[in-house]
Amino acid sequence: MLLEGIETLLVLAKEGTMSKTGSRLYISQSAVSKRIARLEKRLGKKLIEPAGRHIKLTADAITLIDNVGPSYKEIKGLIFDQQPYQDHTLINLACSETLVAGYLGNMMGAYIQHDPYISITTHHTPFIIERVQSGDATIGFCAGHLTPQHGLSTRHLFNEPFSVISHQPLRQQPQQLLVNDFNNPSNANQASLLQKAGIIPLMEMDSYTAAAQLALGGVAPALVPVSIIKTLKIEPIYCHHFAFLDELTRPVHLCYRQKSYQSERVSQLIETIADSVPKAI
């Protein structure tokens, strides 16, 4: 019950509301409230306060999260390592949405015919890392730079190139671009490279697909990875290359807990993705 309460508090700290926390944990809003209340009673401390529609963490809650959060993920991961993989054990594959769309469709369509016990979910890279660390996901398929000291085994597959998408012809490098969210640490290097090139981020999207569609609609040129160009079947006439793009790529990795790789089913899926994805570029 104590671990359950701590998990709920950690998710609440990220989501900010009881309803979003319940959705993440697949429980009701009232169940979230009851878990937090039990944790407060157990610790003898007030952990949350109402702040409009959101929840504000108390100083005691922040201290608890700072001290316990990393250890909690490690404990969950170690428990996950003790679980044996059987023929029907579900393998959870946490992926970047763009990578699923651009590279996994055909491969997984064939693969899942002989191993149907695979679940695919899509997330941003920092959350993918967290899910693999805690054992909530078996394998991560990540786009962008990984957080340091993640403690996972990784396989670098390739560096995915970008293109500038524009509905209008571009005779020279644009001064402004639609980009993806720079608050996402996996995209942090893009900001410095664009600044070096003298390019201003015009709008920050949460989706490369949205940025590409806005660019094709004539709003402004957009920085878009090859996986989205493939998925949307964007014609070459709308794809433009400039010198600054030679430096601007995003690494694509597989990540997993080392113990998981000892399972034949998990290692086979990892190796299949590693072999097939670069061929799909």
Side-chain angles (χ1 to χ4, degrees):
M1 299 296 287
L2 183 60
L3 289 177
E4 185 180 76
I6 290 173
E7 178 185 34
T8 305
L9 180 65
L10 291 172
V11 175
L12 181 59
K14 289 191 174 183
E15 297 297 336
T17 68
M18 294 284 190
S19 59
K20 288 183 178 180
T21 300
S23 297
R24 272 275 304 274
L25 295 174
Y26 301 101
I27 59 176
S28 67
Q29 185 172 334
S30 62
V32 173
S33 182
K34 289 177 182 177
R35 286 186 180 185
I36 296 297
R38 285 197 295 264
L39 183 61
E40 289 180 326
K41 184 177 180 180
R42 176 74 178 272
L43 298 176
K45 297 177 179 180
K46 190 70 175 174
L47 298 175
I48 61 172
E49 298 173 347
R53 293 184 177 182
H54 289 74
I55 295 297
K56 180 182 177 181
L57 300 178
T58 66
D60 285 330
I62 294 171
T63 299
L64 178 64
I65 289 170
D66 290 342
N67 291 335
V68 176
S71 298
Y72 173 78
K73 286 191 293 185
E74 183 179 356
I75 290 170
K76 281 192 68 177
L78 291 172
I79 293 172
F80 173 78
D81 284 343
Q82 302 307 309
Q83 300 172 5
Y85 277 92
Q86 308 296 338
D87 290 344
H88 295 173
T89 301
L90 189 66
I91 295 176
N92 292 295
L93 179 60
C95 307
S96 165
E97 180 184 6
T98 57
L99 299 182
V100 172
Y103 303 114
L104 284 191
N106 292 334
M107 178 241 129
M108 287 305 302
Y111 193 91
I112 210 164
Q113 298 302 312
H114 69 82
D115 188 349
Y117 299 100
I118 297 173
S119 174
I120 301 173
T121 55
T122 57
H123 316 276
H124 292 311
T125 291
F127 189 52
I128 293 173
I129 295 296
E130 288 186 14
R131 287 183 63 81
V132 179
Q133 286 173 328
S134 65
D136 291 327
T138 316
I139 303 169
F141 187 29
C142 310
H145 290 265
L146 305 183
T147 54
Q149 299 178 336
H150 49 69
L152 301 174
S153 296
T154 62
R155 183 83 61 88
H156 176 247
L157 302 184
F158 64 99
N159 290 322
E160 185 178 38
F162 283 83
S163 185
V164 172
I165 304 302
S166 175
H167 181 70
Q168 303 296 330
L170 294 177
R171 303 187 186 282
Q172 60 185 6
Q173 174 182 298
Q175 296 180 332
Q176 298 178 324
L177 284 175
L178 304 177
V179 298
N180 210 22
D181 182 13
F182 286 165
N183 288 322
N184 182 338
S186 61
N187 299 329
N189 75 309
Q190 296 179 19
S192 60
L193 288 172
L194 290 181
Q195 184 179 29
K196 178 181 174 182
I199 297 174
I200 299 172
L202 179 62
M203 303 177 195
E204 294 186 28
M205 303 284 109
D206 192 42
S207 162
Y208 282 116
T209 300
Q213 295 288 22
L214 288 174
L216 292 172
V219 173
L223 184 67
V224 179
V226 168
S227 51
I228 291 299
I229 295 171
K230 284 168 51 66
T231 301
L232 299 180
K233 297 181 172 60
I234 299 175
E235 296 180 18
I237 191 175
Y238 302 121
C239 303
H240 306 271
H241 183 83
F242 300 97
F244 78 92
L245 292 171
D246 293 336
E247 291 186 68
L248 204 159
T249 61
R250 61 176 189 167
V252 174
H253 289 91
L254 286 166
C255 61
Y256 46 91
R257 298 181 66 84
Q258 185 56 45
K259 186 73 178 293
S260 300
Y261 192 80
Q262 296 176 16
S263 162
E264 183 178 351
R265 288 181 57 223
V266 174
S267 62
Q268 183 177 354
L269 179 55
I270 290 171
E271 296 302 332
T272 301
I273 295 174
D275 287 344
S276 65
V277 168
K279 298 173 184 175
I281 300 174

